Amino acid sequence: ETGVTQTPRHLVMGMTNKKSLKCEQHLGHNAMYWYKQSAKKPLELMFVYSLEERVENNSVPSRFSPECPNSSHLFLHLHTLQPEDSALYLCASSQAQGTGAYEQYFGPGTRLTVT
Amino acid sequence: AQKITQTQPGMFVQEKEAVTLDCTYDTSDQSYGLFWYKQPSSGEMIFLIYQGSYDEQNATEGRYSLNFQKARKSANLVISASQLGDSAMYFCAMKVVNAGKSTFGDGTTLTVKP
């Protein structure tokens, strides 16, 4: 595997379900990100992890819970979601910010539909 | 706070012609990076090109070049010799050094006509 991978690619879940999105990066990066992209809305940053510590939580509802067990893996745990949470969820990685401004490499995304 | 403005929601270009996608930014920081990403209909965001705030030369990557005008706070993307595969959404982004997050514009949808 190369680059940034995300699983599953598509997910349909009911409002009472619990599911998790997984992201893995094979680039040797140490910063990882979750973004939400809704139709006809700007890209929204959700969480940033740098060196496995959460450094940014962009006022995301608690029904989204991130986890970064190591620098290569990032999870987004979902529970009791709402229909408006249906979107494309993108994971990205980069060199750790702090000494420069580095480009991000994105995964293919998980298209989530909440019914 | 940083802000990115992309004023062109949609652009059309004829195949093999050049096209410029506009991006202006706003920041009070001196050290930052500017980026362009491409998002085809498949959804994956692809990094295209980077310009550092202290770089004196405009960045180029193959058919992509970044027209950086620091005084005007603009970072326009120029795509030369457009191809049908260039049809996609294009996002301008910036990141301040030592900040945790990047700021993205709303995007420009480019359609290349045969």
Side-chain angles (χ1 to χ4, degrees):
Chain A
E1 295 269 26
T2 58
V4 181
T5 58
Q6 288 185 246
T7 55
R9 294 293 307 277
H10 299 272
L11 178 61
V12 179
M13 60 186 286
M15 292 168 61
T16 58
N17 290 159
K18 286 185 181 182
K19 296 284 185 184
S20 295
L21 309 185
K22 179 183 175 183
C23 176
E24 185 173 357
Q25 60 93 4
H26 309 268
L27 299 168
H29 292 158
N30 42 27
M32 296 187 78
Y33 312 77
W34 278 118
Y35 288 89
K36 175 184 177 184
Q37 189 176 33
S38 306
K40 300 185 180 179
K41 289 179 88 174
L43 198 64
E44 300 174 53
L45 177 68
M46 300 176 74
F47 302 103
V48 180
Y49 277 83
S50 181
L51 301 172
E52 297 159 42
E53 283 192 30
R54 192 190 309 179
V55 297
E56 192 85 28
N57 177 347
N58 221 24
S59 303
V60 179
S62 60
R63 56 185 185 270
F64 295 91
S65 173
E67 180 190 359
C68 187
N70 56 60
S71 60
S72 299
H73 294 87
L74 185 65
F75 295 89
L76 189 62
H77 304 298
L78 317 170
H79 64 99
T80 58
L81 293 191
Q82 304 297 311
E84 60 265 28
D85 297 323
S86 298
L88 180 68
Y89 288 85
L90 291 164
C91 173
S93 72
S94 74
Q95 296 292 348
Q97 311 300 327
T99 57
Y102 301 105
E103 68 274 16
Q104 295 175 42
Y105 291 86
F106 286 79
T110 294
R111 192 160 296 280
L112 173 68
T113 303
V114 181
T115 61
Chain B
Q2 289 74 46
K3 185 176 169 66
I4 295 282
T5 303
Q6 294 182 252
T7 56
Q8 307 152 315
M11 288 281 286
F12 290 89
V13 65
Q14 207 65 38
E15 194 179 6
K16 298 181 185 177
E17 291 185 352
V19 63
T20 298
L21 306 183
D22 294 341
C23 172
T24 57
Y25 61 94
D26 190 22
T27 182
S28 57
D29 289 275
Q30 298 302 310
S31 297
Y32 52 87
L34 296 157
F35 309 86
W36 278 92
Y37 294 87
K38 172 185 178 181
Q39 188 178 36
S41 55
S42 59
E44 184 171 351
M45 298 268 277
I46 302 164
F47 164 69
L48 295 177
I49 194 166
Y50 161 81
Q51 178 87 40
S53 59
Y54 293 114
D55 293 342
E56 295 187 353
Q57 304 265 8
N58 285 341
T60 60
E61 288 287 346
R63 293 186 300 110
Y64 304 109
S65 60
L66 200 152
N67 184 358
F68 180 45
Q69 297 189 45
K70 194 169 182 177
R72 293 186 176 183
K73 292 190 175 177
S74 76
N76 297 340
L77 177 70
V78 180
I79 305 175
S80 62
S82 297
Q83 303 173 356
L84 295 177
D86 294 334
S87 293
M89 179 86 92
Y90 288 81
F91 291 92
C92 179
M94 77 169 294
K95 194 188 160 304
V96 172
V97 173
N98 294 328
K101 66 177 187 179
S102 296
T103 302
F104 282 76
D106 290 351
T108 295
T109 300
L110 177 67
T111 304
V112 180
K113 294 181 174 182

